[in-house]
Each structure stands twice: as structure tokens, then as C-alpha cells.
Amino acid sequence: MQKSSTALLALSLASAAWVALAQGDLQVKDTAPDRYVVQKGDTLWSISTKFLKDQWRWPDIWRMNQEQIKNPHNIAPGDVLVLDRSVSPPQLRLGDAGGGAAEKGSSGEKGSSGEPGGPGKLVPRVYTNSMASEAIPAIPPRAIEPFLSQPLLIEEGGLDRAPRIIATQENRVNVGAGNVAYVSGFGKSETPAWQVYRAGQPLVDPDSNRTLGYEAVFLGTARMTRPGDPATVEILSAKKEISAGDRLIPSPTPTIPQYIPHAPASKVNGRIIGLYDALATSSGGRDSIISINRGRKHGLESGHVLAIYRNVIVYDQSNYLQSRDASPAVQLPPERYGLVFIFRTFNTVSYGLVMESTRPVQGGDLVLNP
């Protein structure tokens, strides 16, 4: 046991040392404000952009430990963030509107004139606000909310046992919002709210050419209006045309978990599989949803930020005009051009929101530590 604990500690320290070496010193922008009042509509990412050259260093500027990263408290509109430049590297703290420190907890509030801070003294504090429902999100929730309640990834045959649309109103080929469909396979379920799906394109690992799963294409929502076999459902919304053969799964309660932008604790070397619900040849940009061939088994978790690179291959120009086939290919160093924020992970696949991009995002591009 002692040997195992020692090995685990050594591995943890080595991982922390690797991350520190890879990320370098914390760099605060020259234009960073001394004080900032959190506004409605802010995100952790947008605030990080005001203070940091590297937005994923948010835990570092708050001196957050791993437990705080995984179970953060909240920042809400009206909170005052103070950049303490008296320490090295600079540190963000939460102050009050009067310039002092405010320590809010279950026992009450301590203002700038009370203990433990004293007049004008900043007290270290990370995200404390009783109004959790007002907490600002890490990234724009509207960009990812639909993808948090959708399965996104299914195994081959994963929808085969799900209730199936066997007929549509007046035998229409496709139905939309307000139309009726008939479903077999509900059994004794009394669940009223359902989501409609069909299996989409396979997610193929660009490295191994192995199929990791199939994309679940969200088609719309439905409500059971009459139980039975077949049961009757009303289509409430339709993102795409719905037809016989499509499958239904119960609608989960939508939740928006809180993520802290941070770099992975271990080395990541993956590739983009493609853009969500798009052709393999499609390209995207900022705010695109992408899938990558790395997941929980590779150490990825929600909140991780990865850099996007492109492999560039050129041909030796000395022989290119005579014959391209005879010209040797030259692999140039990968060029970094964007950042992706991981918001959902599966075992071997993760989904992320492209936060920054200076060129089109394409399948096959690299995702590495930022």
C-alpha cells in the first residue's frame, strides 16, 4: 500500500510539473483592469479574456486547487473582481463595491471594516455567492445547451430497442411540428415528453480508422397524447423532417453544469473527427461543435481547453515544376490556429465548442495541449 501511495504521489507531482513546464509563467494582459464588476451576459471565458493572455489559466489566477476546479463556487452579476498585483504572479480576488474585501458565508457577511481582512485588505475568496442560479456560465449556454440533453453518441444498434415511429398522420412521408405520429414500443411507459432521433454518420477515428460510435441526429421533440401500442404522439418541434422508422427516447431534464476553463493535467494528442451533423468534407469556425478522438479514457473532462493545429505538408519546390510525384513531401511544423472548449466527454470521444479560430476548422486537424 505504501509503495502504491508513493507511486501515485510521484505520478501526481510529475503530472503537475509537466503542466507547469508546458504552460509557463502566468501572463496577465497589460490592459487588464484593476477592478471589474461582473455583468449579466458575462462568461468565465469572456472575463478571462479581459485579464489573461491564456484564457484557460483561470484556475491559476485564482490559485484554485483540483477540488475547487471540479466543484467550483459561483460568480454572479454584481460581484466585483479585484486584480491583486502586489503578489507574483498577480491574483484575482473577490472584493466589494467599496474597494475592500467581502467574505460571504453561511454565518453572514464580513465587510471591509471587519475581520479577517481589515480595512481595504483583500481576502482570498473563490466564487462565493448564495444565488447559484444567477451564476455566470463558463461559455455561452445557448451554444451548447441543446447538446447537453442529447445523447450525441450511440453505439452501433444503440437505438434498436427504442420506441419507433411506425406510421404518420395521413401516411405523410415526413411530419413536422403540430403533426401526429404513431409509435410502437412504449410498453407501459407513461413518460409524456420524448425526443426523436435517428442514427447518423459513423464517427471514425482518423488515426486507427476504427468506428468509435455513431452520431445521434436530433430531429425534434414529441409528446405522448394517447398510450397504447401503437401510441399516439404529437410532434412539438422539428429541427429536421421526421418520418417512419425514427426512434424516440425520454427527454432528460436539461441541466447546465458549471465548467472551469483549464488545461489538461496530462499530455493530449488527438485529432478532430468532424463537425457535428455535417459532411466529412465540411469545415467550420468559431462556435462550431466538433468531435475529437479522445475521451474520458484519455483523461479528458468537461472544461478542458485544447489548442487546434493543422498539419502542413509541402513539396520540395526544386523538383515540383518538373514532377510533383517526384518531389519529396516535407512535413512543416504544425500551425496553431484556434482553441476548443471541451463540454461533453464519452469514453473514446469528446465534443467541444470552438472558441477561437483564425482559419476553417477541418476534420483531421490536431488537438493538443494549449
Side-chain angles (χ1 to χ4, degrees):
M1 177 66 72
Q2 179 66 32
K3 183 177 180 180
S4 176
S5 300
T6 303
L8 187 62
L9 176 61
L11 180 62
S12 176
L13 292 174
S15 176
W18 183 89
V19 172
L21 180 63
Q23 296 190 138
D25 294 334
L26 180 68
Q27 297 185 19
V28 174
K29 286 184 175 180
D30 295 336
T31 57
D34 293 328
R35 299 173 74 251
Y36 178 73
V37 180
V38 179
Q39 307 294 318
K40 186 175 182 179
D42 279 342
T43 64
L44 298 186
W45 188 271
S46 67
I47 294 176
S48 295
T49 302
K50 296 179 185 297
F51 288 95
L52 296 169
K53 293 184 177 179
D54 301 324
Q55 297 93 326
W56 60 90
R57 304 295 296 274
W58 183 258
D60 298 332
I61 200 170
W62 282 95
R63 309 293 196 270
M64 296 175 71
N65 57 36
Q66 289 298 315
E67 181 59 29
Q68 289 170 321
I69 292 174
K70 293 181 179 179
N71 300 286
H73 296 290
N74 303 300
I75 287 178
D79 284 344
V80 179
L81 309 184
V82 180
L83 182 61
D84 184 1
R85 301 178 188 267
S86 66
V87 295
S88 180
Q91 180 177 357
L92 266 183
R93 307 176 191 266
L94 196 61
D96 62 14
E103 182 68 24
K104 295 182 284 185
S106 58
S107 60
E109 297 188 0
K110 296 179 180 180
S112 58
S113 60
E115 295 297 331
K121 185 175 181 180
L122 296 172
V123 177
R125 193 184 70 139
V126 183
Y127 311 155
T128 55
N129 192 297
S130 59
M131 300 297 291
S133 61
E134 297 180 1
I136 63 171
I139 54 179
R142 284 185 296 180
I144 64 170
E145 186 173 6
F147 301 93
L148 298 177
S149 60
Q150 298 171 16
L152 289 178
L153 181 69
I154 55 176
E155 297 179 350
E156 186 172 8
L159 289 176
D160 288 352
R161 296 184 179 181
R164 179 174 61 93
I165 295 177
I166 60 172
T168 59
Q169 183 179 15
E170 299 176 353
N171 290 322
R172 296 179 179 177
V173 176
N174 299 303
V175 292
N179 295 146
V180 169
Y182 304 95
V183 178
S184 175
F186 278 142
K188 297 181 180 180
S189 175
E190 297 181 355
T191 302
W194 297 80
Q195 294 179 336
V196 188
Y197 289 89
R198 72 170 60 110
Q201 62 187 3
L203 294 172
V204 179
D205 190 326
D207 292 327
S208 66
N209 207 35
R210 182 170 64 93
T211 298
L212 303 178
Y214 290 80
E215 208 162 64
V217 179
F218 174 70
L219 304 177
T221 59
R223 180 181 67 231
M224 183 195 298
T225 57
R226 187 183 64 187
D229 196 12
T232 303
V233 300
E234 178 188 1
I235 305 300
L236 300 179
S237 65
K239 184 179 179 181
K240 293 190 172 186
E241 294 177 332
I242 297 172
S243 57
D246 292 334
R247 302 281 180 165
L248 288 81
I249 64 171
S251 294
T253 302
T255 57
I256 303 292
Q258 180 62 292
Y259 310 110
I260 297 298
H262 59 291
S266 57
K267 192 172 182 179
V268 176
N269 188 345
R271 295 177 70 186
I272 296 175
I273 298 175
L275 278 69
Y276 176 75
D277 194 20
L279 297 175
T281 55
S282 299
S283 60
R286 183 174 177 178
D287 295 334
S288 293
I289 302 292
I290 62 173
S291 56
I292 68 172
N293 66 340
R294 294 294 183 268
R296 287 193 293 262
K297 69 176 292 185
H298 305 100
L300 283 185
E301 62 187 30
S302 298
H304 275 161
V305 178
L306 301 174
I308 308 174
Y309 287 80
R310 175 155 303 154
N311 266 330
V312 180
I313 298 177
V314 298
Y315 294 90
D316 191 328
Q317 298 297 314
S318 60
N319 296 323
Y320 187 78
L321 295 178
Q322 299 177 10
S323 172
R324 172 172 174 170
D325 294 335
S327 301
V330 179
Q331 172 73 63
L332 299 182
E335 296 181 1
R336 174 171 167 169
Y337 70 89
L339 293 171
V340 58
F341 188 105
I342 302 300
F343 65 85
R344 193 162 180 195
T345 58
F346 296 87
N347 191 39
T348 57
V349 174
S350 295
Y351 284 84
L353 177 68
V354 177
M355 304 300 298
E356 296 180 2
S357 177
T358 58
R359 60 172 61 179
V361 180
Q362 298 177 351
D365 285 348
L366 303 174
V367 283
L368 309 173
N369 296 76

